[in-house]
Amino acid sequence: MAQGTGTPKVNVVVTNGNLQRQVQVLDGVAGLVGTSVSKIGEIVTVYNYDDAVAKGYTVADEPFLNKAIQLFYQELGGNQALTILGVEDTMTLTQMATATNTNGLKKLLLAAQGEITVVGLIRQPAEAYTPAEDHFLDDDVESALLASKTLAQYQQSINKPVRILIEGRVADLTADVFEPNTAANGYAGIVLGSNLNDGSGAVALALARAVKYGAHVKLGNGQNGALSISQAYIGDKPLEDFFPEELDAFANAGYIIMHRRDGAAGYYFGRDNMASDDDFRILVHGRLVDKAQRVAVATATPLLETTVRVDDDGQINATDAKHLENEISQQLLSQMAGQVSNVDVNVPTDVDIVNTSTGEIEVKILPLGYLTWLQVTIGLTSNI
């Protein structure tokens, strides 16, 4: 501060803009848990493919993770953080996702301290590994889907929500198809199909699409162009060899799949299905609620242990309740402008705040609509 002049005095500087301080919440920060060779147990953040190679994720030392990282940045087309946890080839997808396993996904999320918003789980088992027979997917995928719900619920309970993409590793294309949307887990989705014909699932591709754009943008948004891959398979079968009704069946079962679109070149993701049939059956709905939770928490946290006026019956004063509603509404509308149709915040005034010291805040998000299907009516006419 510059030295004053003239007679001694107190100088006051009045600042503006403090009441509407912008809460910074990032839409997409990616994490990846996958089979490693030389970096088992290590958590490393990389920012592009060359950076990953420089940090040891080379073709020679980390062939499996190298492919995933390369695919991620190929699709991303720029620099962005990807935080990776390598695990041994004996760690199953289920073990990665289990809430009590402190060496799996839980370890990565703890280290990230809430920064990761979308995470992928991928695996390359040891050569001796044999999946159960008569399963469309490796049964490890099915059990991982169920196990991941507990960890995701925990993350939401500590205000660090995350959505999980699990590799849909195909075991037997001829077996009855497992239906993810019967699992009642809107936190997780199974990516079915890959740019490789080895039965893997291109989680890195879906992960890149998720974090490249805002939380409200669907993986298959046609305005963002085709995916960066030149071929696609489900199991070892080229995508083009599946009848349209077969691909529809995968989509209706709740998988995240790729497909071709009439009049457009290349491959696109279909619906961003999650493993549920409720409000969170698509990824964008979950990501929007996660973002709203982060914004609401960041806005409300500075109010902890502050005072509010109460009416004669000990309930929160209506004026103070309205002020709190406005504070949170303004932050949500500012941070999520263009991502939602509207928000509604309600602070109930019928709460005994004096005796409970507990205020309540209710937030509702009106999402955007999505043109997943279009019906075009065409006919001849004798005049126009």
Side-chain angles (χ1 to χ4, degrees):
M1 186 166 114
Q3 183 175 351
T5 59
T7 59
K9 63 178 69 70
V10 175
N11 294 308
V12 176
V13 177
V14 178
T15 63
N16 195 3
N18 298 309
L19 294 180
Q20 295 305 318
R21 177 183 61 86
Q22 186 79 348
V23 175
Q24 294 298 324
V25 173
L26 296 177
D27 282 20
V29 180
L32 186 67
V33 181
T35 306
S36 175
V37 178
S38 63
K39 291 188 171 293
I40 295 173
E42 293 185 30
I43 296 176
V44 181
T45 299
V46 301
Y47 296 92
N48 54 56
Y49 177 70
D50 289 341
D51 182 42
V53 170
K55 290 176 177 176
Y57 295 98
T58 64
V59 174
D61 294 336
E62 290 289 344
F64 178 65
L65 286 177
N66 177 277
K67 286 181 182 178
I69 295 167
Q70 185 176 38
L71 183 61
F72 176 84
Y73 283 110
Q74 171 186 300
E75 181 60 36
L76 193 68
N79 297 328
Q80 194 165 328
L82 172 65
T83 302
I84 307 159
L85 168 63
V87 298
E88 57 271 26
D89 61 10
T90 55
M91 184 181 292
T92 64
L93 291 167
T94 305
Q95 291 168 335
M96 292 181 200
T98 298
T100 55
N101 180 15
T102 56
N103 293 316
L105 176 56
K106 188 171 185 178
K107 178 178 180 177
L108 177 64
L109 296 176
L110 177 63
Q113 286 296 298
E115 289 188 3
I116 290 175
T117 62
V118 189
V119 67
L121 304 183
I122 59 176
R123 185 186 181 209
Q124 185 178 54
E127 290 185 8
Y129 176 80
T130 303
E133 295 181 355
D134 301 324
H135 279 258
F136 172 70
L137 295 179
D138 182 342
D139 60 330
D140 178 32
V141 179
E142 301 172 19
S143 56
L145 182 60
L146 299 176
S148 65
K149 183 175 181 177
T150 300
L151 180 53
Q153 287 176 323
Y154 169 74
Q155 288 297 125
Q156 190 169 65
S157 74
I158 61 172
N159 296 319
K160 296 176 174 62
V162 68
R163 300 289 149 170
I164 304 169
L165 301 177
I166 300 173
E167 181 185 6
R169 297 178 55 248
V170 175
D172 184 355
L173 279 174
T174 65
D176 291 341
V177 174
F178 169 72
E179 298 182 353
N181 56 15
T182 62
N185 181 7
Y187 299 99
I190 294 180
V191 180
L192 182 68
S194 173
N195 58 312
L196 304 173
N197 64 349
D198 57 1
S200 60
V203 167
L205 193 67
L207 191 64
R209 272 282 162 144
V211 301
K212 185 176 182 177
Y213 302 102
H216 65 297
V217 179
K218 301 195 84 179
L219 299 180
N221 187 317
Q223 299 299 304
N224 294 327
L227 296 168
S228 60
I229 60 174
S230 58
Q231 62 279 315
Y233 304 86
I234 295 177
D236 59 357
K237 186 175 177 180
L239 198 69
E240 290 77 7
D241 289 352
F242 288 87
F243 291 105
E245 56 269 27
E246 292 179 295
L247 296 179
D248 287 345
F250 289 138
N252 291 335
Y255 290 99
I256 298 172
I257 66 167
M258 290 175 279
H259 70 142
R260 286 192 177 276
R261 294 181 177 173
D262 295 333
Y267 300 99
Y268 293 80
F269 277 115
R271 283 180 276 162
D272 52 341
N273 288 321
M274 302 301 273
S276 71
D277 59 0
D278 55 19
D279 289 354
F280 302 108
R281 61 188 176 275
I282 54 176
L283 177 60
V284 286
H285 282 175
R287 293 188 66 202
L288 284 170
V289 166
D290 289 352
K291 182 173 182 179
Q293 179 177 353
R294 291 170 184 268
V295 172
V297 168
T299 306
T301 294
L303 302 176
L304 294 175
E305 294 286 34
T306 61
T307 59
V308 291
R309 293 171 294 176
V310 296
D311 295 333
D312 292 342
D313 56 4
Q315 296 178 346
I316 187 170
N317 177 275
T319 301
D320 285 4
K322 188 64 177 177
H323 174 71
L324 181 55
E325 289 173 358
N326 289 339
E327 284 283 309
I328 294 176
S329 291
Q330 288 171 5
Q331 289 289 358
L332 286 168
L333 289 170
S334 173
Q335 283 286 287
M336 305 184 75
Q339 296 184 309
V340 296
S341 297
N342 206 349
V343 302
D344 178 59
V345 179
N346 177 51
V347 176
T349 56
D350 58 346
V351 176
D352 184 0
I353 196 75
V354 170
N355 289 314
T356 66
S357 297
T358 302
E360 296 181 6
I361 303 172
E362 300 169 350
V363 178
K364 295 179 181 179
I365 301 296
L366 181 63
L368 300 172
Y370 295 93
L371 299 175
T372 301
W373 298 279
L374 288 172
Q375 180 170 308
V376 180
T377 302
I378 300 176
L380 298 175
T381 182
S382 60
N383 59 78
I384 294 181

